[in-house]
Every structure is written in C-alpha cells, then in structure tokens.
Amino acid sequence: MVDVRHVLVLPDRDAAEEAAEALGERFGLAEEPQMVRDSLAGEDDAEDAQWLLLVEDAGGRLDARELDEFVEEWDGWREDP
C-alpha cells in the first residue's frame, strides 16, 4: 500500500478546527491532521484565507469519496493528491 497525504480545503479557521476534531472521531486517525492557513494570492486580510487540513493516510486506507462527503459538510473540498 502507498502512503497518501490528503489535503482538505476549508473556508475558515472555525470550520477547519471543527473538521479536524470530527475527522479523528469519524475516521479513527492515528494522528491529528495538520492545520495550515493558506492566504489567497495578493490578500493580506485574514478573512481572505482558506485553511488546509493535511491528513496523513498511511497505507492509503481512507476512501476519497468519504473524505469528499465529509469535508463538504463544512463547505470545503478535497484536493486530489
């Protein structure tokens, strides 16, 4: 099996924090996802930032469609690896 890093894009910090907590509960992750602020090009305002959750998937066991459905609950999406 191949190790994969999933990138979940969320609209704001609150959504990212909620999703990070729920990810562990729903998918039984061994480690908490890393949360990263992603400023939009040319924007200085914190309101114009997306938040990324970097989810390490040892062995590629997480189903991409389930992650898509999960992140959509917070108006986000999953980037293809």
Side-chain angles (χ1 to χ4, degrees):
M1 296 300 261
V2 177
D3 291 347
V4 177
R5 174 183 279 174
H6 299 281
V7 177
L8 308 182
V9 183
L10 293 129
D12 57 51
R13 183 182 187 126
D14 290 340
E17 288 174 344
E18 289 175 22
E21 185 175 320
L23 263 169
E25 294 171 10
R26 187 174 303 178
F27 295 99
L29 300 178
E31 61 183 73
E32 192 167 318
Q34 180 182 359
M35 198 166 70
V36 178
R37 182 177 177 267
D38 182 34
S39 299
L40 299 175
E43 298 294 338
D44 294 328
D45 189 351
E47 294 297 317
D48 294 322
Q50 297 173 329
W51 286 80
L52 309 178
L53 292 180
L54 307 178
V55 182
E56 298 298 330
D57 184 9
R61 66 177 189 83
L62 297 175
D63 183 274
R65 288 174 294 172
E66 288 181 31
L67 286 172
D68 288 339
E69 291 171 9
F70 172 82
V71 76
E72 285 174 6
E73 295 175 25
W74 285 273
D75 296 323
W77 66 90
R78 181 186 58 85
E79 292 287 327
D80 287 323

